[in-house]
Amino acid sequence: MQRCWDRRDRLSVIGAVTLSPQRQRLDLRFRVQEENVRTEHVVRFLKQLRYELRRPIVVILDRLAAHRSAAKQLQCEGRTDIRFEWLPAYAP
């Protein structure tokens, strides 16, 4: 018997692991979506994360096209409170 899965039955998740600088406490923030994560979802998530944390953030991303374009869009808006660091191109 061969099994297969249906791509229409999946969810996309965008998330972040945060570290409190004073308390050294980890937290997980995420959003579940029924559609693929696109640039506008990444931008909205990062702006909301920055608002909730009430401090500048450093975001570590892989080089997915939606991540690169979201970073460029936020930098063009002049957002200096969100800094980006990139994983190497060969990172899994």
Side-chain angles (χ1 to χ4, degrees):
M1 173 195 271
Q2 184 174 9
R3 296 178 187 246
C4 66
W5 54 277
D6 188 353
R7 292 185 62 89
R8 291 174 282 157
D9 292 340
R10 71 180 180 144
L11 295 173
S12 291
V13 178
I14 184 169
V17 176
T18 62
L19 173 65
S20 169
Q22 286 86 19
R23 295 188 218 163
Q24 299 294 308
R25 187 170 62 185
L26 290 174
D27 191 18
L28 175 65
R29 315 265 178 141
F30 64 94
R31 302 286 183 274
V32 179
Q33 302 176 178
E34 292 187 12
E35 58 189 20
N36 289 336
V37 175
R38 296 190 311 267
T39 300
E40 58 268 18
H41 301 126
V42 176
V43 169
R44 189 177 324 124
F45 178 76
L46 292 176
K47 285 180 177 180
Q48 182 65 32
L49 182 65
R50 167 60 182 92
Y51 175 78
E52 290 173 7
L53 295 176
R54 296 188 307 260
R55 63 180 172 268
I57 60 175
V58 176
V59 182
I60 302 170
L61 297 170
D62 62 10
R63 296 177 189 275
L64 182 71
H67 296 163
R68 290 191 317 258
S69 60
K72 186 175 182 178
Q73 182 176 333
L74 288 167
Q75 289 170 341
C76 287
E77 289 178 10
R79 299 293 301 245
T80 58
D81 55 348
I82 302 174
R83 194 176 90 205
F84 297 95
E85 297 293 333
W86 299 96
L87 291 172
Y90 55 85

